[in-house]
Amino acid sequence: MRRERTVRQGHHVGNEAEEPQVPDQRQKKRHQDPGENIQEFGSTKIPTAKSSIHTMVIIGQIEGHVVLPSQNKTTKYEHVIPQLVAIEESKDIKGLLLILNTVGGDVEAGLALAEMVASLSKPSVSLVLGGGHSIGVPVSVATDYSFIAATATMTIHPIRMNGMVIGVPQTYEYLDKMQDRVVNFVTMHSHISDHDFRKLMFTTGELARDIGTILVGKDAVDVGLIDEVGGIDKALRHLEGMIAEQHRKPRRARTEKKEVQ
């Protein structure tokens, strides 16, 4: 009798117990810790944090009109340009942080990105990590202020053309004009002179079987190419200060207008 009662009681208790619920995978991802999100997926999209600064990363090789092999790490300029347009149009984004670790790439694509960044009305800061080589140089100086890591490098060299080159005067003139476009842009958006930049481009002896100059960290600042040596902390603080300054200027203008009236 006792045995039967025990079984019934156990059966009764078992009926009252709730069945274990399996958490919804979408809900689990939604409430996942931001740190775990970065660790597992390598994602910079943290839904719990809102920022007025948009971070854009230029890595690998800047891909232009020719599609590079799949094993190459590339940044496609047709993906970046719409982002820059969206940054300019967005009311929530107040500034751009541009991080570069690039070997260079397509000259026209690189100049297109540089021109887009330079024409933004919102404050922008660049940070060169690892390397900002070749056509990455004009992209890195296109922002309002630029930083470079102490161990990062920048390679400055003349424009080179891949593939078959026809040895005629027209080819040389075309390359010369393309080179002038790069030089003019860099000198307009940095503190280096035309003469000094061209001198770095045509230096011999530093690069194996080539001409050009490699600048490491502080060297890029000393020649006037980059504004300051620093990391992510300095870059963010400087950008936040620029955003705050831009917001103060319209207020001052309105105050001055009222005083005149």
Side-chain angles (χ1 to χ4, degrees):
M1 188 71 178
R2 291 179 182 175
R3 188 175 181 182
E4 184 179 357
R5 186 178 301 169
T6 304
V7 172
R8 288 179 179 177
Q9 289 177 352
H11 181 69
H12 180 68
V13 172
N15 287 341
E16 286 185 349
E18 295 181 1
E19 294 181 3
Q21 296 181 354
V22 180
D24 186 9
Q25 294 296 327
R26 295 180 180 177
Q27 186 176 5
K28 184 178 178 182
K29 288 183 180 180
R30 191 182 303 116
H31 297 287
Q32 194 172 18
D33 181 69
E36 294 179 2
N37 191 29
I38 295 175
Q39 183 177 355
E40 290 186 16
F41 305 106
S43 174
T44 57
K45 296 180 181 178
I46 303 176
T48 57
K50 293 183 178 180
S51 175
S52 59
I53 296 174
H54 181 85
T55 302
M56 179 177 291
V57 183
I58 307 294
I59 58 173
Q61 191 167 351
I62 298 174
E63 186 179 88
H65 305 297
V66 178
V67 179
L68 297 174
S70 58
Q71 65 267 21
N72 287 31
K73 180 75 70 175
T74 62
T75 297
K76 301 179 184 294
Y77 84 111
E78 69 269 24
H79 292 175
V80 178
I81 288 179
Q83 291 185 51
L84 292 171
V85 175
I87 291 170
E88 181 66 23
E89 290 183 336
S90 175
K91 296 180 180 179
D92 298 326
I93 298 175
K94 307 301 181 184
L96 170 66
L97 176 63
L98 186 66
I99 299 178
L100 297 101
N101 188 4
T102 176
V103 297
D106 188 281
V107 176
E108 289 190 345
L111 280 177
L113 297 183
E115 290 284 4
M116 286 285 290
V117 172
S119 62
L120 289 174
S121 63
K122 300 178 181 181
S124 57
V125 169
S126 65
L127 173 60
V128 179
L129 296 173
H133 307 290
S134 192
I135 200 61
V137 173
V139 179
S140 63
V141 303
T143 53
D144 299 321
Y145 201 84
S146 56
F147 287 89
I148 185 171
T151 57
T153 58
M154 303 183 77
T155 304
I156 302 170
H157 61 77
I159 290 177
R160 294 169 294 197
M161 182 175 287
N162 295 329
M164 184 179 67
V165 179
I166 302 175
V168 294
Q170 288 82 355
T171 303
Y172 172 78
E173 290 176 4
Y174 172 76
L175 289 176
D176 197 40
K177 288 181 179 178
M178 287 287 291
Q179 193 161 276
D180 288 340
R181 290 167 60 190
V182 174
V183 174
N184 292 336
F185 184 90
V186 172
T187 53
M188 285 178 59
H189 294 85
S190 66
H191 302 291
I192 193 170
S193 65
D194 184 287
H195 175 267
D196 291 341
F197 189 71
R198 290 182 185 273
K199 184 178 179 182
L200 294 173
M201 292 177 71
F202 294 103
T203 299
T204 58
E206 286 199 21
L207 301 177
R209 297 180 299 174
D210 206 346
I211 55 177
T213 304
I214 298 176
L215 302 174
V216 182
K218 190 174 181 296
D219 297 336
V221 178
D222 292 339
V223 300
L225 196 60
I226 299 295
D227 293 313
E228 188 177 342
V229 175
I232 187 68
D233 55 340
K234 283 189 175 182
L236 280 174
R237 284 202 302 267
H238 192 88
L239 182 56
E240 289 169 354
M242 293 172 65
I243 294 172
E245 182 65 23
Q246 189 183 57
H247 279 252
R248 282 194 293 267
K249 285 180 179 179
R251 293 179 183 176
R252 291 175 182 173
R254 285 196 295 267
T255 305
E256 292 173 359
K257 188 175 180 180
K258 287 180 180 179
E259 290 176 355
V260 171
Q261 290 177 349

